[in-house]
Amino acid sequence: MTIFKLFQNIRPFVKPYRWLIVATLFMTLIGALASQVNAVVLDKTVDSINALLQDSPFEWTKATKILTVISIVLLGKEVLSALISFAQKYYGEKMRIYVSQDMAQAVIERMLTFRVAYFAQDDNEPGKLQTRIDRGVESLSTTVKNFFIDILPLFTSAIIALILMYIANVYVGIVATVIVPIYFWLTYREAKRLSGWRRNRRTYREAKSNGIMNIIESITVIKSFNRERIEGDKQMALQQQLTDNQMQTRKLSYLYDGLKSFVEQIGTVLIIILTAYLVLSDYPGMSIGKIMYHVMLFSNVSAPIRQLHRIYDDMNDALIYAEGFFDILHAKDEVEKSGKYRPEKVLGTFKLRNVDFTYPNGNKALHSISMEIGSGKITALVGLSGAGKSTIVNLLDKFYDPDSGDILLDDVPLKDWDTQYLRDHIGLVLQKNHIFDGTIEDNILYGNPDATHDDVVEAAKKAYIYDQIMNLPEQFQTKALMLSGGQQQRIAIARMFIKNPPIIFLDEPTASLDAIATEQIKNSIDAIKKNRTVIIISHSISQIIDADIVYALQNGRVEQGGTPDEVYKQGGIYKDIFDASARSLNIEKIAKTIDGEDS
């Protein structure tokens, strides 16, 4: 990322606020002219007082007039400068805030278009993405602020001051001009030496942010194993790397700051010596007042130099963080692909033919998968953990694209389907569903934002959560995150009920529910299964045995397929899982207990 590319990327965000730019530029020009008033006034004042001292006798009337004019001009200039400074900073800051808002919203909207595979990549963990976005927006908006509030006014003032120095005396102007490039060269060398350290600092900050997020998400596990010290040590190691980086950066910065300050002071000394020499030599147009005049003008020329190291640091931070930020904003290959096929009715027949799939981390999850999921049928996917069951659901919902092979829905390639239309016709209930920050009603309405409150109530009843909701102080307006895990699961199921789709994917939908709740939800799910295409992933015998078709998977391959009875009689992995589930339930003792009650 170069400075030119940086401003190219920022330009679309600044363009809508052209009127703010015009206002800022106008204020900048007026402010730059006002900045030279002190030098001009001091020049004239020194010469006027010097001439007055040569008069005999000394006239206080003339002196009072000079002092009065000086006071009026300088005070008037300060009032004008204060007003200009306020307007300039206000408009510049307003632009920074608006640009910051637009950038943050643009990157969020962009990320929402990305395929799920993007977020599964090792380098795109939540904490790292958050740091890239936060630091990117912060550094880029600071660049806008630096340009319109700091750099532009300072350099405009410096250019005008340099022009005035040349007009007064070309030799003094040349001296001032020669000093400035040396300072810029030192600043450039500093930035070049620090670029690698700054890039490493970005990596350390991303790792630190991601580590903190992992601690927050895993706090229960950490405390249950008494591993606070281990996690603290991990973060300390990351912090130490960041600290070492910051110290090295600061050491180099302070070294170059000293060199740049020395160069600036040399420039001031040379200006004083040269101007004094010209005055003593009776050079045309040179007077005692010109000494102070040139010193003050050179101070205006060197003002950007004094600010340059800070601005340049911010600019280089922006260059580093802009890479990560604009990588997100301009990632074309990560945008979720969508076809245009939108039929009047979705039947729900899926066909998979020799499908292979590998996750972004390199883990190959599916090997030549072939199966058919009939319309209006219940299909169960059975297998040990890691067999590829959830991966198949992810592919059918177009969260990922297969490496090879074909997936068809109603005899049309899945890639040709309009993705949004497809998902509008699929209901998904996971083992652990996400509950959003909001009320219970908000979370249920997420399944169908156009539904009425009566629809929400009906969905809650079907999910057997209505009575519990009504016992809460704020009922449907209660914060959903305050509910227990099992209650949140029922909210997610209610969300699916209110969506009422023709295709349903159930991935361990009752895993976090108690036995009574499981039975209640099973009854509700049984009711909604009718005349719909249902794919269920479950270790529950009661849900597997109700399926029309069972596919048993192992190590990413289909080992068996058929009706539950047919597959059970074949033996193999399905029978092993079925028998193990029965034994884990202690079916024999349960049967004896029930028989004892009946007798």
Side-chain angles (χ1 to χ4, degrees):
M1 180 68 67
T2 63
I3 292 178
F4 178 72
K5 287 182 179 178
L6 177 66
F7 279 98
Q8 264 191 327
N9 283 310
I10 293 177
R11 184 173 173 273
F13 296 100
V14 176
K15 190 176 180 181
Y17 307 107
R18 289 185 293 269
W19 64 276
L20 284 175
I21 296 176
V22 172
T24 304
L25 290 176
F26 176 74
M27 294 298 170
T28 295
L29 180 60
I30 301 300
L33 292 172
S35 297
Q36 318 311 319
V37 169
N38 284 0
V40 174
V41 169
L42 189 58
D43 174 29
K44 301 300 181 185
T45 300
V46 170
D47 288 343
S48 296
I49 291 176
N50 186 51
L52 192 61
L53 291 173
Q54 304 303 318
D55 293 343
S56 182
F58 178 80
E59 298 184 30
W60 274 105
T61 305
K62 291 182 178 180
T64 303
K65 183 179 179 181
I66 292 172
L67 294 175
T68 302
V69 171
I70 291 171
S71 299
I72 293 172
V73 171
L74 291 179
L75 287 175
K77 173 257 179 183
E78 290 302 323
V79 171
L80 180 63
S81 294
L83 293 173
I84 291 172
S85 177
F86 169 79
Q88 187 181 43
K89 290 179 179 178
Y90 174 76
Y91 288 130
E93 186 67 9
K94 188 174 184 179
M95 182 185 298
R96 186 196 69 79
I97 292 170
Y98 283 176
V99 168
S100 174
Q101 165 195 283
D102 293 348
M103 282 182 171
Q105 187 62 25
V107 77
I108 289 171
E109 291 180 357
R110 185 66 173 177
M111 276 203 309
L112 288 171
T113 68
F114 289 171
R115 56 200 179 99
V116 175
Y118 175 83
F119 302 96
Q121 296 173 16
D122 290 339
D123 199 40
N124 293 334
E125 295 168 296
K128 293 181 179 180
L129 288 176
Q130 182 181 1
T131 301
R132 280 176 216 162
I133 293 170
D134 289 346
R135 298 290 298 188
V137 170
E138 179 185 344
S139 61
L140 290 169
S141 60
T142 299
T143 298
V144 173
K145 169 184 173 290
N146 283 339
F147 185 76
F148 288 102
I149 298 180
D150 297 330
I151 298 177
L152 196 60
L154 286 171
F155 276 85
T156 304
S157 175
I159 291 170
I160 292 175
L162 197 59
I163 291 172
L164 291 176
M165 292 182 77
Y166 269 101
I167 291 173
N169 186 276
V170 68
Y171 299 113
V172 178
I174 290 172
V175 170
T177 305
V178 169
I179 293 296
V180 173
I182 298 174
Y183 196 98
F184 273 82
W185 180 80
L186 286 172
T187 303
Y188 167 76
R189 292 293 303 168
E190 176 186 7
K192 192 171 183 179
R193 289 194 63 181
L194 290 176
S195 61
W197 291 94
R198 287 192 173 99
R199 186 168 279 102
N200 288 337
R201 185 167 60 194
R202 170 192 141 183
T203 302
Y204 296 147
R205 279 175 171 164
E206 288 180 2
K208 181 73 176 172
S209 178
N210 195 61
I212 292 171
M213 186 168 288
N214 286 336
I215 286 176
I216 294 171
E217 292 175 347
S218 310
I219 191 66
T220 304
V221 176
I222 293 169
K223 288 189 170 295
S224 69
F225 283 93
N226 294 320
R227 296 296 180 263
E228 292 91 341
R229 173 48 52 196
I230 291 177
E231 295 302 323
D233 290 343
K234 287 180 184 177
Q235 291 304 302
M236 187 60 202
L238 290 172
Q239 186 61 57
Q240 190 62 54
Q241 290 177 317
L242 182 58
T243 300
D244 292 344
N245 177 280
Q246 289 173 322
M247 289 303 298
Q248 185 65 26
T249 303
R250 287 286 170 260
K251 185 170 73 173
L252 284 171
S253 293
Y254 294 148
L255 174 63
Y256 277 97
D257 287 349
L259 288 172
K260 287 181 284 187
S261 179
F262 179 69
V263 169
E264 182 186 355
Q265 293 306 314
I266 286 178
T268 302
V269 170
L270 289 175
I271 293 292
I272 293 173
I273 292 173
L274 178 59
T275 307
Y277 171 77
L278 293 172
V279 170
L280 293 171
S281 301
D282 289 329
Y283 193 88
M286 300 301 291
S287 62
I288 294 176
K290 285 295 186 290
I291 296 176
M292 295 304 299
Y293 178 69
H294 284 145
V295 169
M296 292 195 71
L297 286 178
F298 184 71
S299 178
N300 287 341
V301 172
S302 62
I305 296 176
R306 291 193 296 271
Q307 294 290 329
L308 194 62
H309 71 278
R310 176 186 63 80
I311 295 170
Y312 213 82
D313 279 349
D314 290 341
M315 184 71 73
N316 278 282
D317 275 346
L319 290 174
I320 298 300
Y321 287 107
E323 292 175 4
F325 180 84
F326 287 113
D327 279 347
I328 298 174
L329 197 62
H330 297 156
K332 295 180 180 179
D333 294 338
E334 303 297 345
V335 175
E336 198 166 45
K337 297 175 182 177
S338 177
K340 297 181 179 179
Y341 184 63
R342 299 169 65 97
E344 292 185 7
K345 184 177 181 181
V346 179
L347 300 177
T349 300
F350 287 97
K351 294 178 183 177
L352 290 83
R353 298 171 180 167
N354 302 314
V355 172
D356 286 355
F357 175 72
T358 305
Y359 280 103
N361 61 9
N363 175 37
K364 187 158 187 177
L366 299 180
H367 304 265
S368 192
I369 293 290
S370 295
M371 63 173 64
E372 184 169 336
I373 296 162
S375 173
K377 303 290 185 181
I378 301 171
T379 303
L381 303 180
V382 181
L384 302 177
S385 297
K389 308 181 296 296
S390 296
T391 301
I392 291 174
V393 169
N394 287 334
L395 291 177
L396 297 182
D397 218 345
K398 288 186 75 173
F399 292 150
Y400 297 93
D401 296 322
D403 300 338
S404 60
D406 298 309
I407 302 177
L408 293 88
L409 172 57
D410 296 343
D411 294 322
V412 176
L414 201 62
K415 63 183 179 181
D416 293 340
W417 281 71
D418 182 292
T419 302
Q420 186 173 356
Y421 180 82
L422 172 70
R423 290 176 186 161
D424 280 340
H425 290 78
I426 293 176
L428 179 63
V429 178
L430 304 173
Q431 180 175 350
K432 185 178 180 181
N433 287 276
H434 183 77
I435 296 299
F436 295 92
D437 184 19
T439 66
I440 292 173
E441 184 163 6
D442 291 338
N443 272 269
I444 296 176
L445 280 172
Y446 206 82
N448 181 6
D450 297 325
T452 65
H453 178 71
D454 290 339
D455 295 328
V456 172
V457 170
E458 186 61 29
K461 288 179 178 178
K462 289 180 179 178
Y464 289 92
I465 189 67
Y466 176 76
D467 291 338
Q468 294 183 37
I469 292 173
M470 297 308 291
N471 287 329
L472 297 171
E474 296 182 66
Q475 299 178 350
F476 280 92
Q477 300 309 308
T478 302
K479 290 285 186 181
L481 291 174
M482 302 297 292
L483 303 177
S484 68
Q487 289 173 323
Q488 289 184 10
Q489 184 71 349
R490 296 200 208 190
I491 296 299
I493 293 171
R495 193 158 61 198
M496 188 265 292
F497 282 135
I498 205 169
K499 187 175 184 180
N500 196 28
I503 301 172
I504 299 174
F505 297 155
L506 305 170
D507 191 348
E508 294 287 356
T510 59
S512 60
L513 302 179
D514 55 67
I516 293 176
T518 297
E519 182 184 16
Q520 292 172 339
I521 294 300
K522 181 182 179 301
N523 292 335
S524 295
I525 291 176
D526 288 344
I528 202 173
K529 282 178 182 177
K530 294 175 182 177
N531 301 318
R532 300 173 198 270
T533 300
V534 178
I535 299 176
I536 185 165
I537 298 172
S538 180
H539 293 100
S540 170
I541 295 175
S542 63
Q543 295 190 37
I544 295 172
I545 207 166
D546 284 343
D548 297 304
I549 298 292
V550 170
Y551 287 103
L553 289 87
Q554 190 168 15
N555 298 324
R557 292 180 171 84
V558 176
E559 297 288 336
Q560 299 169 291
T563 66
D565 288 343
E566 290 171 348
V567 178
Y568 184 82
K569 290 174 183 177
Q570 294 171 11
I573 187 64
Y574 175 73
K575 185 177 186 301
D576 293 342
I577 293 173
F578 192 96
D579 291 346
S581 298
R583 287 193 298 271
S584 68
L585 290 173
N586 215 339
I587 293 292
E588 291 183 2
K589 285 191 177 182
I590 291 174
K592 289 179 181 178
T593 301
I594 294 173
D595 289 342
E597 280 191 359
D598 291 341
S599 61

